[in-house]
Structure formats: C-alpha cells, structure tokens
Amino acid sequence: PNPVAPLPEAKTEAAPRTPDDLAALQVKGLSKSYGSNTVVREVTLDVQRGETLCVIGPSGSGKSTLLKCLNLLEIPDCGEIWLGETCLTAPDADVDAARSRVGMVFQHFNLFPHMSVERNVSLALTSVKGMGREQARATARRRLEEVGLAAFAEQRPSRLSGGQQQRVAIARALAMEPEVMLFDEATSALDPELVKDVLAVMRDLASGGMTMAVVTHEMGFAREAADRVAFMCDGRLAEIGTPDRIFESAEHPRLRQFLSQIL
Ligand code: ADP
Ligand code: MG
C-alpha cells in the first residue's frame, strides 16, 4: 500500500459530523454545590437521539439538581451542557432559547387553576412562541388528543384527576415541540391507581422516538421503557448501563443495596 495514503481512521476522523451524529444531550464534568454542600459531582453523561435514559438513586443523591441543571433552572458551578450543537453553558448562550428546546415535567404539575385545560397547554405557544391564538388552540387540541384528554379541553384543571392533570402538564411541555423531555418523578405525587395512565403516556412517547431523561422510582418503567439506566449516589453517576445490566448484574455495592431495598 502507498505509505502516503491517508489511513482509513484518519479519513473517518476528518469526515464532517452531521447533526445526526451528535448526542441530543451531552453533559461533561458537571458539578453543582449549594454553599459547601456539593450535590452533583463531576457528572459526565449523554443522551442519544430517541433514547430514554432513566435516572434512579436514593433520595438526596442529586437527581433533581442534575435534571434542573440540564434545563438551566439551576446554574452549574462547572462543566458543560450541550444540546445538539448548542453549548448551553457558554457565557453567551441564549438561555431562554435553550430552555424552550427542553421540556420539563415535575412531580407537581402547577397548572393555572383559573384557565381552561386548553389554555394551560396553549399559553406558552402564544406568549413565548408568538403563535396566533387559533393556531395555538389547534396545536393544544392535538397534544391533548395525544394524551387522551381532548374531551377535557374546556374544563378547569380542578375537574380532572391528578393523573389527568399530569397528562395535561405533559401535553403542555410537548406543545413546545422540545428536542428533549425531562421528567422528575412525574408520578410520585399521584395516587397509585392514577400512575398507570401517566406511565402509559410516557411509554408511548419513549417508543415514539422522543429523547427523554426520566428520574423515577418506578422500576418497572425503568426496566421496560429505558434504553439505559443511570444510578446516582452522593451526587455521582455511580453506574450506567442497559436495564438488564443494572437490574440483573449491578456492580456498585450501593446500587445493589438500593435495588435490594426497593425491588
Ligand atoms: P434527589 O432529587 O436525588 O432527591 P436533590 O437534587 O433534590 O436530590 O437534592 C440533593 C441535595 O441537594 C440534597 O441534600 C438537598 O437537600 C440539596 N438541595 C437541593 N436543592 C437545594 C437548594 N435549592 N438549596 C440547598 N440545598 C438544596
Ligand atoms: Mg428529586
């Protein structure tokens, strides 16, 4: 072979990276402290396009703080967050634009009680995206259909069950057409019989190709719907792998202990 010909490896390296090659979300060396209490420690992690990553771990291990950092609801002390090709932690990052690309669903859904379900879903479309009222209404209706609640569009949220209200909150996040959806214990505040329908909506989203990071105590969901599961412990990402690996052959002693307590 010709010794001056470029090595195949070199060629691959030089090929331009297309947006499709990029992880939807990349976190590099992210840390966050409150005062002297470091609650997220040097977390490095990626979520691929269309991937569902579940984050599990004991209470106080930093799961919520990590998730809030991803949406810049908390500002990390150090580290980088990349949303596709956009570095959210760059000094000149457009935080509002970045936030609108990431949907978030919390334990407490915080719907506006004085507005209809439809208006709750369409509000940010008109106020943030500048969409016209009619188009926003139609978009909201479509999203409510997806979560099985089109019939409730004109109701006040208080007429709905907790599980239905959480599905409205999911529709509200989806209406913004986010690239990534973050869920923080979305079912933890619900009565057990209402959890199922919310998880079903999340499963549909996951299998429909949405990119998701899901903090959850629902191990059944993590096992079935996650592509990978990450275990957090004392602010660190202690172990990450396929559900099979995490649930069947965990390595980290704290993960084994955690699983033995909840499974
Ligand atoms: P998890 O979601 O895994 O339960 P959190 O991220 O909520 O964990 O909390 C991690 C640690 O950070 C806890 O010790 C908690 O008390 C602390 N913490 C969380 N939010 C704040 C805050 N706003 N101010 C001070 N400490 C906080
Ligand atoms: Mg939490």
Side-chain angles (χ1 to χ4, degrees), residues 76-95:
D77 300 323
C78 61
E80 292 176 15
I81 302 166
W82 289 80
L83 189 60
E85 288 177 305
T86 310
C87 183
L88 306 191
T89 42
D92 60 346
D94 182 343
V95 172

Side-chain angles (χ1 to χ4, degrees), residues 26-31 42-45 78-82:
Q26 269 186 291
V27 178
K28 298 179 190 171
L30 188 142
S31 296
E42 292 166 33
V43 168
T44 294
L45 162 79
C78 61
E80 292 176 15
I81 302 166
W82 289 80

Side-chain angles (χ1 to χ4, degrees), residues 212-235:
M212 309 186 0
V214 182
V215 172
T216 187
H217 290 296
E218 295 287 337
M219 294 303 135
F221 178 84
R223 209 184 262 262
E224 293 154 31
D227 296 294
R228 285 185 302 160
V229 178
F231 173 64
M232 279 193 73
C233 177
D234 297 334

Side-chain angles (χ1 to χ4, degrees), residues 196 198-208 212 220-222 224-225:
K196 187 169 55 56
V198 174
L199 290 180
V201 166
M202 291 168 64
R203 264 198 200 93
D204 284 352
L205 270 181
S207 58
M212 309 186 0
F221 178 84
E224 293 154 31

Side-chain angles (χ1 to χ4, degrees), residues 34-35 37-40 57-66 68 74 184-185 215 217 232:
Y34 294 111
N37 186 17
T38 303
V39 301
V40 177
S59 179
S61 59
K63 305 178 300 293
S64 293
T65 305
L66 172 65
K68 284 184 209 154
E74 291 287 355
D184 191 1
E185 298 199 24
V215 172
H217 290 296
M232 279 193 73

Side-chain angles (χ1 to χ4, degrees), residues 19-255:
D20 284 351
D21 297 334
L22 288 171
L25 192 64
Q26 269 186 291
V27 178
K28 298 179 190 171
L30 188 142
S31 296
K32 173 73 185 175
S33 301
Y34 294 111
S36 60
N37 186 17
T38 303
V39 301
V40 177
R41 296 171 186 268
E42 292 166 33
V43 168
T44 294
L45 162 79
D46 59 67
V47 187
Q48 299 299 313
R49 276 170 212 284
E51 184 179 32
T52 296
L53 175 76
C54 281
V55 181
I56 62 172
S59 179
S61 59
K63 305 178 300 293
S64 293
T65 305
L66 172 65
L67 220 57
K68 284 184 209 154
C69 284
L70 299 183
N71 203 8
L72 301 178
L73 290 176
E74 291 287 355
I75 303 304
D77 300 323
C78 61
E80 292 176 15
I81 302 166
W82 289 80
L83 189 60
E85 288 177 305
T86 310
C87 183
L88 306 191
T89 42
D92 60 346
D94 182 343
V95 172
D96 288 335
R99 259 191 211 132
S100 75
R101 294 165 62 188
V102 181
M104 186 140 185
V105 177
F106 300 93
Q107 188 173 340
H108 299 286
F109 11 94
N110 301 322
L111 301 176
F112 289 115
H114 59 290
M115 290 178 185
S116 71
V117 161
E118 175 274 315
R119 195 67 189 119
N120 268 279
V121 175
S122 64
L123 186 63
L125 293 175
T126 52
S127 67
V128 178
K129 286 212 163 170
M131 197 182 270
R133 186 70 187 92
E134 277 318 305
Q135 196 191 346
R137 196 193 303 272
T139 304
R141 292 263 178 182
R142 266 200 314 279
R143 293 309 184 176
L144 285 167
E145 256 163 47
E146 280 173 25
V147 301
L149 293 175
F152 294 85
E154 298 312 323
Q155 306 277 340
R156 293 289 164 91
S158 58
R159 301 285 296 274
L160 277 60
S161 73
Q164 289 170 330
Q165 291 186 45
Q166 187 60 296
R167 282 148 65 197
V168 173
I170 294 173
R172 174 178 61 184
L174 290 175
M176 297 296 280
E177 301 196 356
E179 290 161 48
V180 178
M181 284 281 283
L182 309 176
F183 292 85
D184 191 1
E185 298 199 24
T187 59
S188 295
L190 301 175
D191 292 334
E193 72 272 19
L194 304 177
V195 168
K196 187 169 55 56
D197 290 342
V198 174
L199 290 180
V201 166
M202 291 168 64
R203 264 198 200 93
D204 284 352
L205 270 181
S207 58
M210 176 60 78
T211 305
M212 309 186 0
V214 182
V215 172
T216 187
H217 290 296
E218 295 287 337
M219 294 303 135
F221 178 84
R223 209 184 262 262
E224 293 154 31
D227 296 294
R228 285 185 302 160
V229 178
F231 173 64
M232 279 193 73
C233 177
D234 297 334
R236 291 187 194 282
L237 202 168
E239 195 161 340
I240 183 164
T242 62
D244 270 359
R245 240 228 33 230
I246 295 295
F247 292 111
E248 309 302 337
S249 52
E251 281 167 16
H252 201 288
R254 292 285 298 275
L255 173 53

